[in-house]
Amino acid sequence: MVKATTELHQLDRSLVWSGFKQLAPISLFVIVFGAAFGLAAAQVGLSDSTIIGMSTLVFAGASQFAVLDLWGTQMPLFTMMLTVFAINARHLLMGATLYPWLRHLPAPQRYGVMLTASDANWAMSMQAFSRGEPGLGLLLGGGLALWSFWIVGTWLGIHFGNAISDPASLGLDMVMGCFLLAMVVGGERNLRMLVIWSIAAIASLLAYWYLPENSHVVVGALAGGMAGMIRGGKQR
């Protein structure tokens, strides 16, 4: 039996610890990409403290790699901000999908939880909510696992990064994609969901081919969301 929405916003130490343990296995692969970032940042000329500080405070792998391409004596600050915003715009949609449960938390706790939001722990928390189980522990605990392993990986990359300078050459760049795909396959399966995911996929591909870089994530999510609202309205 599905619990009431007001019961699904539970957040305590046991749920957070459970979320940490559930995301720990996938977090091991994050170490590799953290190491790749640490190495790349060191090669650009950033100090050790700056690199660790960036991974600690920013915690956004794709954005951090993108910023390295813009790093130099004359840093285009506005361009950097715009790039980071574009890459992470999907977090606006993540926050919107989580709001029905986050709204029950005090504001400091709500925003603190969202600081750890990323693709993997968001997907697992949404899957938990769909099963009628509390998901905020997964969001926070899983996020803490990903965050801490990302920092550890960054440190390893600074000092031992030459061991794995190109994770993609080992196929490790596919790990997160396969994980998220498994989350989708493990969710609700019916004609309505097939239509929604198909529309989202087509819109995302078209945006990837014809629109500015990184816009495909937001376009696909918006297209899928609109399709879900339309299909949901037709079923009423």
Side-chain angles (χ1 to χ4, degrees), residues 89-111:
R90 67 188 187 282
H91 283 76
L92 296 172
L93 302 175
M94 289 182 186
T97 59
L98 290 166
Y99 182 73
W101 303 281
L102 287 172
R103 65 187 178 89
H104 297 284
L105 302 179
Q109 194 174 18
R110 183 189 314 158
Y111 296 119

Side-chain angles (χ1 to χ4, degrees), residues 190-224:
N190 51 43
L191 180 60
R192 174 177 176 270
M193 293 304 297
L194 176 62
V195 171
I196 292 171
W197 281 112
S198 298
I199 291 174
I202 293 171
S204 184
L205 281 172
L206 291 173
Y208 181 80
W209 289 330
Y210 300 112
L211 295 181
E213 190 175 3
N214 297 307
S215 62
H216 62 286
V217 177
V218 176
V219 170
L222 290 175

Side-chain angles (χ1 to χ4, degrees), residues 57-146:
L57 298 175
V58 179
F59 181 43
S63 298
Q64 291 177 226
F65 276 106
V67 165
L68 293 182
D69 292 333
L70 301 172
W71 203 274
T73 54
Q74 298 293 328
M75 288 187 293
L77 184 58
F78 179 76
T79 302
M80 291 173 66
M81 292 172 61
L82 192 62
T83 300
V84 171
F85 178 82
I87 294 174
N88 291 288
R90 67 188 187 282
H91 283 76
L92 296 172
L93 302 175
M94 289 182 186
T97 59
L98 290 166
Y99 182 73
W101 303 281
L102 287 172
R103 65 187 178 89
H104 297 284
L105 302 179
Q109 194 174 18
R110 183 189 314 158
Y111 296 119
V113 169
M114 281 304 296
L115 284 175
T116 66
S118 65
D119 298 320
N121 57 330
W122 169 80
M124 289 196 69
S125 64
M126 291 303 296
Q127 194 174 66
F129 287 133
S130 70
R131 295 193 302 265
E133 301 172 359
L136 295 183
L138 269 170
L139 184 67
L140 178 57
L144 290 173
L146 294 164

